[in-house]
C-alpha cells in the first residue's frame, strides 16, 4: 500500500509546479463544494480550520516556479482557498457566519500548536537500544515531528494576526459590495474582496514577521518585492479561478443544514 502512495508522489513530482498548483486548487475546490453540499456551513467551518493548519505545515517547504527567480514557499494555494470559503459563507449565509469560520480557524491553529508543543515535551527514548530498523524510524519520526510542530513564535503571531485582519477585511468588503450592488455583480465582489485582502494579508504578515518582530529586519526592497509581492501573483490567479467556483456553489447548497441549524 505504501508503494502506491510513493508512486503517486513520484508521478506528481514529474509535473511542473504550476500544473501541480492548479491540480491542488481544483482538488480543494471539489472538497469545498462537497463539504458544502453534505454538511452545509459546518462543513466549511471544518475545511477552513483544516486548511489553515495544512497551509502552515506546507509553508515549511518551497518549490520553484517559472514566474519567479526565487523559490516560493508552499501553502499559498491552500491558504487562499480559505478566502473563497469566507466568500461562500458570506454569500449564502451572512457576515457573522463567515466570521465564525475565521475564529474557529484561528483557534484551531492555536489548539494544534499548544497540544503538539506538549507532545514534543516528552523526553525522547534512547533509540539506540531498539532494533536497528525500529531505531531508524524512531529517530526520523522524532526529528520530523520537531521540524513540523516546533513553532516560531514570531511567525505564528504574524500569521494569525495577518489572517484575522485580512479575513475580517475580506468579509467586510464582500458584504459591502453585495449591499451596494443589491446582490448583483458576484464576480466583482469575489475578486475585489479577495485581491485586496490577499495584498493586506501579505503586507501585514511580512511587516510583522520580517520587520517588527525580526532581530534582523529586512530592507524595504526585499520586504516589498520578495515577501509582499513574491506570492501575490499566485493569489491573483487563484482569485480569478475562484470566481466560477463560487457561482457553482449555488448548485451545491444543502437542502437542509444536516448537523447544524443556522440561527445567525
Amino acid at each position: 500500500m505504501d508503494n502506491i502512495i510513493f508512486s503517486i508522489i513520484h508521478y506528481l513530482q514529474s509535473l511542473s509546479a504550476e500544473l501541480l498548483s492548479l491540480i491542488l486548487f481544483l482538488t480543494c475546490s471539489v472538497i469545498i463544494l462537497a463539504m458544502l453540499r453534505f454538511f452545509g456551513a459546518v462543513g466549511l467551518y471544518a475545511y477552513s480550520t483544516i486548511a489553515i493548519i495544512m497551509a502552515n505545515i506546507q509553508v515549511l517547504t518551497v518549490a520553484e516556479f517559472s514566474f519567479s527567480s526565487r523559490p516560493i514557499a508552499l501553502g499559498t494555494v491552500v491558504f487562499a482557498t480559505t478566502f473563497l470559503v469566507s466568500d461562500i459563507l458570506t454569500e449564502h449565509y451572512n457576515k457573522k457566519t463567515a466570521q465564525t469560520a475565521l475564529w474557529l480557524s484561528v483557534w484551531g491553529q492555536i489548539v494544534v500548536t499548544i497540544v503538539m508543543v506538549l507532545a514534543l515535551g516528552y523526553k525522547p527514548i534512547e533509540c539506540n537500544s531498539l532494533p536497528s530498523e525500529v531505531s531508524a524510524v524512531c529517530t526520523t519520526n522524532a526529528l520530523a515531528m520537531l521540524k513540523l510542530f516546533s513553532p516560531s513564535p514570531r511567525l505564528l503571531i504574524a500569521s494569525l494576526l495577518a489572517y484575522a485582519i485580512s479575513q475580517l477585511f475580506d468579509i467586510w468588503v464582500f458584504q459591502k459590495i453585495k449591499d451596494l450592488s443589491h446582490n448583483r455583480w458576484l464576480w466583482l465582489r469575489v475578486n475585489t474582496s479577495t485581491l485586496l485582502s490577499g495584498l493586506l494579508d501579505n503586507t501585514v504578515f511580512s511587516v510583522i514577521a520580517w520587520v517588527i518582530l525580526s532581530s534582523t529586519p529586512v530592507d524595504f526592497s526585499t520586504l516589498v518585492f520578495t515577501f509582499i509581492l513574491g506570492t501575490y501573483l499566485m493569489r491573483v490567479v487563484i482569485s480569478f479561478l475562484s470566481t466560477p467556483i463560487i457561482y457553482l456553489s449555488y448548485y451545491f447548497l444543502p437542502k437542509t443544514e444536516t448537523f447544524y441549524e443556522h440561527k445567525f
Side-chain angles (χ1 to χ4, degrees), residues 32 39 60 78 83 109 116 119 124 128-129 153 167 189 194 216 242 259:
I32 288 170
F39 305 106
L60 296 175
V78 174
F83 290 84
Q109 181 62 60
M116 291 311 299
N128 293 334
S129 62
Q167 277 279 21
R189 54 183 182 266
T194 303
T216 54
S242 296
F259 291 93

Side-chain angles (χ1 to χ4, degrees), residues 144-160:
M145 290 276 287
L146 191 62
K147 290 283 187 182
L148 287 175
F149 296 107
S150 54
S152 162
R154 172 172 58 92
L155 297 181
L156 183 63
I157 292 171
S159 175
L160 292 179

Side-chain angles (χ1 to χ4, degrees), residues 14-47:
S14 68
L15 305 177
S16 67
E18 289 80 7
L19 177 56
L20 190 55
S21 295
L22 177 60
I23 294 172
L24 178 58
F25 172 77
L26 293 176
T27 300
C28 289
S29 298
V30 170
I31 293 171
I32 288 170
L33 294 175
M35 296 287 274
L36 174 64
R37 178 66 183 88
F38 293 112
F39 305 106
V42 170
L44 297 191
Y45 288 170
Y47 175 86

Side-chain angles (χ1 to χ4, degrees), residues 23 39 54 89 146 164 184 226 232 234:
I23 294 172
F39 305 106
M54 288 191 300
L89 288 172
L146 191 62
R184 296 177 297 165
T226 299
Y232 188 63
M234 188 179 297

Side-chain angles (χ1 to χ4, degrees), residues 187-254:
W187 60 271
L188 178 64
R189 54 183 182 266
V190 171
N191 288 289
T192 302
S193 62
T194 303
L195 290 175
L196 291 178
S197 60
L199 183 59
L200 179 62
D201 178 75
N202 278 17
T203 302
V204 173
F205 174 80
S206 299
V207 170
I208 294 176
W210 307 115
V211 178
I212 296 177
L213 298 181
S214 176
S215 57
T216 54
V218 299
D219 59 83
F220 181 77
S221 177
T222 301
L223 175 69
V224 173
F225 294 103
T226 299
F227 293 109
I228 295 178
L229 299 180
T231 60
Y232 188 63
L233 176 60
M234 188 179 297
R235 298 186 74 155
V236 170
V237 173
I238 293 172
S239 174
F240 291 126
L241 291 175
S242 296
T243 304
I245 304 302
I246 198 167
Y247 276 100
L248 279 174
S249 69
Y250 273 91
Y251 299 96
F252 287 84
L253 287 171

